[in-house]
Amino acid sequence: MATRKKKKNEKTEEDYGREFFEALNQIETEKGIKKEYMIEKITQALIAAYKKDHKGVGDNLVVTCNEETGRIRMVLHRDVVETVDNPNTEISLEDARKALPGVSLGDVVSSEIKTRNFGRIAAQAARQVIIQGIREAERGMVYDKFSSKSQEIVTGVVQRVDANGGMVVQIGNGTDATEAYLSMNEQVAGESYQVGDVLKVYVVDVRRSNKGPQILISRTHSGLVKRLFELEVPEIFEGIVEVKSIAREAGSRTKMAVSSDDPNVDPIGACVGNRGARVNAIVSELRGEKVDIVKYSEAPEEFVAAALAPANVVSVTVLPEGKSCRVVVPDDQLSLAIGKEGQNARLAAKLTGYRIDIKPKSVADLEPVEAEAPAGTAEEALLADEPEEEELLAD
């Protein structure tokens, strides 16, 4: 009968063990997945593979990995009994004494399981557990990396533009790169992008999901403007100048209120920069969106007046009806204070948090404050095509 001859260069179990640990080290270097994590997953895979063909093993199977000796061992512990009910957890006294003559009933004997004896289905199950473990680790690393970038700006490259206008954007570099989806709702109206275009996006949130981390990005969020100013204006980054509030209608106009802790630092001048260099750089990044920078004040009268720039304001009166105020402007400044389609007044209301009722001076002089009806919102009272506004302009 022919027998299989051992080749001179045939690898030993120690050789395979060393290659195994070398592979783990390579995975850790290339993918950043900790070796200890992979050993845990592989241990789970080996145990799961064995249990697939051997029911009821429970905790009797133990896997040990020793990097120093290069050995991976699967050891099955079985109780020595008189009558065997489960051969996967028990062994008869007679069979046990064939290998260990001194064994007695109640003892526990251990035997090594060779992984090469696993069936095809069991081996596939083990492979699947290992692959899944690597995927989970990679997803976890992506989540950990980008969760720290939540509410920050990242640079992305457009990878794909869908038929509905949504875009797949690659953010990060090298092995840390991942994809995020920029929906139409988070894109600025009028902006268009092609595959390969580089753009800055704001990370709104990072969430876990069954398919991996979901990174929500935006070009319309007001946080994008704030972070751009932090990048461009050292005084904001260092905390000398503080951004108190932002009101934005993406693609059209933004109003931003700033203040300074240092009396020697002009917050508006710091944001504008020499000859407008700083704010112009941000306007360029926002593709032409106008940015109004106003000085914040604790006094609501001053703050509201500043927020209505570029219009001049005669007076601001805070009304007792909720958080609202009455603003008087020169007759020739009414349309400027309201803005096109009410935008200036609407953004001022968002910026300050006050409901603003704007009156031209000629009408305000005829109406005492005490007789003032409860103020409406900027949207309710300020659109030029409303009857009330037409009457005011006619007077």
Side-chain angles (χ1 to χ4, degrees):
M1 180 178 176
T3 58
R4 179 177 178 271
K5 294 183 179 180
K6 183 178 178 180
K7 297 180 181 179
K8 291 183 179 180
N9 296 327
E10 187 173 359
K11 294 181 180 179
T12 64
E13 289 188 11
E14 288 75 10
D15 293 331
Y16 284 115
R18 280 191 290 271
E19 290 181 358
F20 167 77
F21 286 107
E22 287 174 3
L24 291 185
N25 289 328
Q26 186 175 356
I27 291 174
E28 184 171 13
T29 301
E30 294 179 356
K31 295 182 176 292
I33 303 174
K34 295 294 183 184
K35 181 167 53 182
E36 293 75 16
Y37 172 86
M38 287 306 305
I39 289 176
E40 179 184 350
K41 288 297 179 182
I42 291 168
T43 297
Q44 294 173 0
L46 292 173
I47 292 175
Y50 185 83
K51 287 183 176 180
K52 199 167 188 67
D53 295 329
H54 302 81
K55 306 299 182 183
V57 172
D59 297 329
N60 290 43
L61 185 65
V62 177
V63 177
T64 60
C65 298
N66 190 321
E67 187 172 3
E68 293 182 2
T69 61
R71 294 202 64 184
I72 305 167
R73 301 184 66 204
M74 290 183 66
V75 178
L76 179 64
H77 302 297
R78 290 181 289 177
D79 298 323
V80 179
V81 296
E82 199 167 292
T83 304
V84 175
D85 294 322
N86 184 352
N88 294 320
T89 59
E90 299 170 336
I91 185 172
S92 67
L93 179 62
E94 181 182 353
D95 289 341
R97 283 183 171 172
K98 289 178 181 178
L100 301 170
V103 75
S104 303
L105 288 173
D107 290 346
V108 177
V109 297
S110 302
S111 53
E112 186 171 355
I113 308 298
K114 301 297 183 182
T115 56
R116 70 183 63 176
N117 297 329
F118 283 4
R120 181 177 60 84
I121 295 177
Q124 288 178 345
R127 180 175 178 271
Q128 190 59 38
V129 172
I130 294 170
I131 292 173
Q132 185 63 27
I134 293 176
R135 287 176 179 169
E136 289 176 0
E138 289 176 334
R139 290 171 181 172
M141 287 189 298
V142 171
Y143 177 83
D144 292 340
K145 175 179 175 58
F146 286 99
S147 61
S148 65
K149 294 184 179 296
S150 180
Q151 301 182 9
E152 298 288 345
I153 284 180
V154 296
T155 300
V157 179
V158 178
Q159 298 293 303
R160 186 173 68 253
V161 180
D162 295 342
N164 61 5
M167 298 188 302
V168 175
V169 180
Q170 179 180 294
I171 54 179
N173 298 309
T175 57
D176 294 331
T178 190
E179 292 184 342
Y181 190 73
L182 185 64
S183 67
M184 279 292 292
N185 293 336
E186 298 299 333
Q187 295 179 40
V188 177
E191 290 187 352
S192 61
Y193 302 92
Q194 304 295 327
V195 173
D197 285 352
V198 178
L199 71 164
K200 286 184 170 63
V201 293
Y202 181 76
V203 180
V204 180
D205 195 11
V206 182
R207 302 172 183 171
R208 293 186 185 274
S209 72
N210 294 333
K211 295 182 179 180
Q214 287 185 328
I215 303 172
L216 309 181
I217 57 177
S218 174
R219 284 277 297 173
T220 63
H221 200 284
S222 60
L224 177 67
V225 177
K226 182 179 180 181
R227 295 305 185 198
L228 286 173
F229 270 96
E230 287 179 355
L231 292 174
E232 195 68 35
V233 182
E235 290 85 350
I236 293 180
F237 181 79
E238 294 168 3
I240 299 171
V241 174
E242 181 181 358
V243 177
K244 303 297 283 190
S245 62
I246 294 179
R248 185 185 185 200
E249 293 187 359
S252 179
R253 193 173 187 179
T254 289
K255 282 183 179 287
M256 184 175 75
V258 293
S259 66
S260 173
D261 293 335
D262 188 339
N264 297 318
V265 176
D266 173 20
I268 296 178
C271 294
V272 172
N274 187 25
R275 296 184 180 180
R278 292 175 176 176
V279 71
N280 287 340
I282 293 167
V283 169
S284 177
E285 176 60 39
L286 297 175
R287 301 198 174 190
E289 182 177 319
K290 296 179 181 179
V291 179
D292 297 339
I293 305 169
V294 303
K295 190 172 182 179
Y296 173 80
S297 174
E298 294 288 349
E301 295 86 355
E302 295 178 5
F303 189 21
V304 170
L308 285 169
N312 296 320
V313 173
V314 174
S315 66
V316 177
T317 304
V318 177
L319 301 177
E321 298 89 357
K323 198 174 183 182
S324 59
C325 63
R326 179 194 193 217
V327 176
V328 178
V329 299
D331 287 29
D332 63 351
Q333 296 279 299
L334 181 61
S335 60
L336 189 61
I338 294 172
K340 185 179 180 180
E341 298 180 350
Q343 185 186 66
N344 193 59
R346 188 166 56 248
L347 286 174
K350 291 179 181 178
L351 187 72
T352 61
Y354 276 79
R355 299 169 64 189
I356 301 174
D357 181 24
I358 302 177
K359 299 285 185 181
K361 189 175 186 305
S362 60
V363 172
D365 288 343
L366 302 176
E367 297 180 358
V369 176
E370 292 76 14
E372 192 70 53
T377 63
E379 292 88 340
E380 293 169 340
L382 303 178
L383 293 179
D385 59 352
E386 291 186 358
E388 294 86 345
E389 198 56 42
E390 289 175 1
E391 293 176 8
L392 294 178
L393 292 173
D395 290 339

